[in-house]
Amino acid sequence: MGEAKRRKAALGENYGKEAQILPWLPITKSQAQQFSKWSNRGAWLGIGFLVIWWVTVRFIGPAFGWWQVT
């Protein structure tokens, strides 16, 4: 318990607050991880939609006679 008290005295009002990535950037480490997680998920979702769009344009549309691919 002594170490926690010393750390609390040393940090003062910042005790228990999450650390920021950079001192001048008001983004915490967990917010950066969450942004990375969501952007990665969004990128894979975009890739999936692109593949579905390509298959539709290249194969499904011409198979049903909607248009011709030359």
Side-chain angles (χ1 to χ4, degrees), residues 6-69:
R6 280 191 292 276
R7 189 170 40 245
K8 185 175 182 180
L11 292 176
E13 65 182 44
N14 290 331
Y15 182 74
K17 292 183 180 177
E18 194 171 359
Q20 294 181 346
I21 295 174
L22 298 170
W24 51 270
L25 190 65
I27 297 175
T28 61
K29 290 182 180 181
S30 67
Q31 288 173 333
Q33 287 176 342
Q34 190 175 22
F35 174 77
S36 176
K37 179 179 128 181
W38 280 103
S39 62
N40 192 6
R41 206 176 270 178
W44 280 111
L45 189 64
I47 291 169
F49 281 132
L50 181 65
V51 168
I52 290 170
W53 178 259
W54 181 79
V55 168
T56 301
V57 168
R58 182 66 181 97
F59 298 110
I60 297 173
F64 286 118
W66 295 339
W67 56 80
Q68 294 179 353
V69 176

